[in-house]
Amino acid sequence: MPKRKRPEELRSHRWYGTDDRRAYDHRSRTGQMGYDKSDYAGKPVIAIINTWSDINACHSHFRQRAEEVKRGVWQAGGFPVEMPAITLSEPFQKPSTMMYRNLLAMETEELLRSYPADGCVLMGGCDKTTPALVMGALSMGLPTIYMPAGPMLRGNWHGQVLGSGSDTRKYWNELRAGTITERDWEEIEEGVARSPGHCMTMGTASTMTSAVEALGLALPGSASIPAADSHHARMATATGKRAVELVWEDATPKNLLSASSFDNAVTCVVACGGSTNSVIHLIAMARRAGVALDLERFEAISRKTPVLANLRPSGKYLMEDFYYAGGLPALLASLRDLLDLSAKTVSGRTLGENIAEAKIHNAEVILPRAKPLLPSGGLAILRGNLAPDGAVVKPAAAEPRLLKHKGRAVVFEDYNDLQARIDDPKLDVDADCVIVLKHAGPVGAPGMPEWEVPIPKKLLQQGVRDMVRISDARMSGTAFGCCVLHVAPESFIGGPLALVHNGDMIELDVERRRLQLLVDDGELARRKRLWKAPARKFARGYGALFSQHIKQANEGCDFDFLEGTSPTPEPEIH
Ligand code: FES
């Protein structure tokens, strides 16, 4: 029988259980909220970090779900305490939710540290909320369980299935090409988002919630349940119950997670045809756990992992179909030989035990190993003189003919420049050109937004739907196209992307993982000498803190002072 914590060993005992003036205050103020001593004395305090907000449609069910988590905590003999935290609402927050991921991570860590929490339930789902909550909780180190928001239901337009982001982009291109009407576009707007929940393509949200389940921090199968399904409410209650047990078992992330847990998460991401954003987030999360995950590890795992989830944007189906097909446990079960099945998880069982009974119910949605969407290389890490510290591309989302390509650079200095000129009929561009967007990285944008480079309108009208595009920005996980992203170091700090001129030739060779600017070294050195660092954008405030401390994409874009595992003292209680 593993050792269980005793009530006086609970962290909250320092607040509630001691015989001093401060504990008197804590007890009397808890009573003020209507709780009797028997509600909390000697019980694990479970902090429920809730990223609900009126401005986050993906979490619009979270007020109700928080109650369901609490029901589970009460039933298991814990004391639930809901703590609201900043929401990161992908569609609304500018310049990018990525600018605020580390802020939510800090808030999560410090909420857990400064209040009498013994363990926590993290409620997130919309893109950056997942890595942010997990990063903060990993740094604090309390027993942690993640409650994924779940995907929304399939979109619908005239009986056609619509996927978040992916189909918006597709039909936006068709509108610009003149193949659908303004009325069609309005109807698509009304039909694409039909219920609570996060984007239901295999975008960043589904990728990251699935990754956290494969990592071992969410209950088996939880990430695939649609938000509107009654199973989701039951999962929330089960999550609350399990949170209490995790405290008694002292099942901290440190006691559960290992380097192979993160390898399992990367394998899951690749097999899902997951978002390029996951590379940044998983590196940042791993570093918080003291695991040295890097781009090379992603590349090595990607080289041997097939893409089996036939989900948009790489494939055909949506998360609701994935759930009915068996969900993530079924996908992971068909990857047994590529996973560390002995990895521990919050269920109290190993990953192997979690997926032992899992079965695929629809082999069109979760493809068999013999018929993958892509045999390997769902995410590819590129290097070369244009990206000495790496860049990322998602070959499954690109037109295959572009994966080995040489073309003339058409350069945009920043996103405003791109918006002003991309649809100009006089723009000197053809389908073989390589479009370059500068100053869209972590420091330069700032916040490394999902600033996608569209196909110029005149080429859309000629039937072109994909081109090689290169930038130091990110791309939405729901997007598709031959987009080389996360170029590091970024142009704003003088990375080679800053030195690209209109008319330079650029060579992309995904098979060889190469990205080369075909300009000789002498000329590049001359351009570098002439390059002037742009002025920083912020003199004060969070923007200044962000610009001073943000790390590059290949390092996970964490703040330098938040990385690592150095211990932080517990607060003194006086
Ligand atoms: Fe929230 Fe896509 S907008 S996950």
Side-chain angles (χ1 to χ4, degrees):
M1 192 73 179
K3 186 177 170 300
R4 286 173 71 84
K5 260 201 175 130
R6 289 177 290 117
E8 55 276 21
E9 291 173 322
L10 292 172
R11 185 171 177 270
S12 58
H13 183 79
R14 293 181 62 222
W15 274 261
Y16 283 124
T18 54
D19 192 16
D20 58 20
R21 235 294 310 279
R22 279 292 164 223
Y24 155 92
D25 279 343
H26 303 144
R27 289 190 297 263
S28 106
R29 293 297 178 164
T30 305
Q32 184 186 3
M33 293 184 281
Y35 294 111
D36 184 73
K37 265 197 194 96
S38 62
D39 288 326
Y40 63 85
K43 296 182 174 183
V45 176
I46 303 300
I48 301 167
I49 308 289
N50 189 352
T51 50
W52 175 88
S53 161
D54 264 334
I55 195 78
N56 195 333
C58 302
H59 298 179
S60 54
H61 53 318
F62 271 15
R63 288 217 268 206
Q64 177 63 29
R65 289 295 176 275
E67 295 309 313
E68 287 144 359
V69 172
K70 285 179 197 171
R71 187 169 75 206
V73 173
W74 285 123
Q75 281 180 16
F79 180 54
V81 177
E82 186 178 347
M83 296 184 183
I86 180 177
T87 207
L88 309 179
S89 176
E90 199 60 30
F92 289 100
Q93 195 169 31
K94 309 297 175 193
S96 162
T97 50
M98 190 62 188
M99 182 122 175
Y100 297 98
R101 185 199 67 178
N102 297 345
L103 185 65
L104 174 56
M106 283 170 76
E107 187 185 13
T108 303
E109 180 179 350
E110 298 307 325
L111 278 172
L112 295 175
R113 177 170 292 118
S114 56
Y115 287 108
D118 294 302
C120 63
V121 175
L122 308 173
M123 296 179 61
C126 190
D127 284 26
K128 316 302 177 290
T129 55
T130 300
L133 290 163
V134 172
M135 285 161 70
L138 289 176
S139 289
M140 182 53 199
L142 300 179
T144 295
I145 187 164
Y146 191 75
M147 196 222 73
M152 67 178 103
L153 300 176
R154 298 182 197 99
N156 185 289
W157 175 55
H158 293 184
Q160 289 187 53
V161 168
L162 295 176
S164 320
S166 308
D167 283 300
T168 299
R169 282 175 190 84
K170 177 176 149 189
Y171 287 110
W172 174 239
N173 280 345
E174 297 309 326
L175 182 71
R176 290 166 70 226
T179 57
I180 63 167
T181 65
E182 287 287 346
R183 181 62 199 140
D184 291 335
W185 178 242
E186 250 175 58
E187 288 173 351
I188 290 166
E189 176 183 311
E190 287 158 10
V192 73
R194 295 175 45 234
S195 80
H198 60 66
C199 291
M200 72 326 229
T201 38
M202 187 46 80
T204 305
S206 305
T207 304
M208 290 311 301
T209 55
S210 300
V212 167
E213 183 180 322
L215 184 66
L217 289 182
L219 289 179
S222 58
S224 313
I225 307 172
D229 193 302
S230 60
H231 284 93
H232 197 272
R234 295 197 286 275
M235 177 274 290
T237 300
T239 298
K241 278 188 195 167
R242 191 63 200 135
V244 178
E245 281 306 300
L246 289 173
V247 172
W248 292 128
E249 293 166 9
D250 198 26
T252 60
K254 196 168 166 208
N255 291 339
L256 291 181
L257 303 185
S258 63
S260 64
S261 311
F262 282 92
D263 283 356
N264 286 343
V266 175
T267 303
C268 161
V269 163
V270 177
C272 283
S275 160
T276 46
N277 285 313
S278 65
V279 179
I280 297 176
H281 299 321
L282 279 170
I283 287 175
M285 287 158 56
R287 288 179 173 212
R288 294 293 190 103
V291 170
L293 183 65
D294 60 14
L295 293 179
E296 275 59 45
R297 192 71 194 139
F298 259 90
E299 176 62 27
I301 292 174
S302 181
R303 287 255 185 206
K304 61 181 183 184
T305 305
V307 179
L308 299 180
N310 187 9
L311 301 177
R312 296 180 204 188
S314 305
K316 183 175 171 191
Y317 296 96
L318 295 173
M319 286 300 288
E320 194 179 340
D321 307 299
F322 186 62
Y323 177 57
Y324 304 143
L328 194 68
L331 178 97
L332 296 178
S334 55
L335 295 165
R336 280 191 178 93
D337 54 314
L338 299 175
L339 297 166
D340 179 352
L341 299 175
S342 69
K344 295 179 191 165
T345 76
V346 289
S347 72
R349 300 186 298 268
T350 64
L351 181 68
E353 288 165 342
N354 286 346
I355 61 175
E357 308 285 314
K359 285 198 176 46
I360 296 172
H361 306 302
N362 185 339
E364 278 286 304
V365 179
I366 302 175
L367 299 167
R369 286 288 285 271
K371 270 176 53 188
L373 204 59
L374 209 65
S376 67
L379 291 171
I381 307 300
L382 307 172
R383 301 259 180 196
N385 68 351
L386 195 46
D389 291 339
V392 179
V393 69
K394 188 170 167 182
E399 287 187 11
R401 66 184 173 86
L402 294 170
L403 297 176
K404 187 172 168 56
H405 184 81
K406 202 185 286 186
R408 169 172 64 88
V410 175
V411 178
F412 295 94
E413 287 302 317
D414 57 30
Y415 200 80
N416 289 332
D417 181 28
L418 179 132
Q419 266 197 319
R421 295 193 294 121
I422 191 79
D423 286 343
D424 185 340
K426 294 199 287 294
L427 183 70
D428 182 15
V429 66
D430 60 53
D432 291 329
C433 286
V434 172
I435 302 182
V436 172
L437 170 65
K438 299 180 184 176
H439 299 133
V443 189
M448 205 182 177
E450 293 176 349
W451 280 344
E452 287 141 30
V453 178
I455 306 291
K457 190 171 178 174
K458 70 177 182 186
L459 298 181
L460 280 174
Q461 287 165 342
Q462 292 166 22
V464 178
R465 291 294 182 271
D466 199 3
M467 294 173 71
V468 176
R469 289 156 276 175
I470 301 176
S471 89
D472 42 19
R474 293 175 302 112
M475 164 174 100
S476 163
T478 63
F480 47 85
C482 193
C483 301
V484 176
L485 306 151
H486 311 183
V487 169
E490 64 174 301
S491 52
F492 193 88
I493 62 168
L497 194 68
L499 310 180
V500 183
H501 288 180
N502 271 315
D504 289 347
M505 293 302 287
I506 293 177
E507 185 173 23
L508 169 68
D509 186 341
V510 174
E511 180 59 35
R512 289 175 56 229
R513 304 298 195 253
R514 297 292 289 166
L515 182 65
Q516 278 301 105
L517 177 60
L518 303 178
V519 173
D520 68 61
D521 291 347
E523 171 59 14
L524 286 179
R526 189 188 71 80
R527 291 182 192 177
K528 180 78 190 184
R529 281 195 301 277
L530 295 175
W531 178 79
K532 285 196 179 59
R536 298 257 162 171
K537 296 187 175 172
F538 300 94
R540 62 163 299 284
Y542 179 73
L545 176 108
F546 182 94
S547 304
Q548 279 161 23
H549 296 286
I550 190 76
K551 301 198 77 171
Q552 290 290 289
N554 59 307
E555 300 171 303
C557 291
D558 205 349
F559 290 154
D560 50 12
F561 61 90
L562 291 176
E563 281 189 327
T565 54
S566 308
T568 306
E570 280 281 339
E572 293 184 13
I573 300 177
H574 297 305

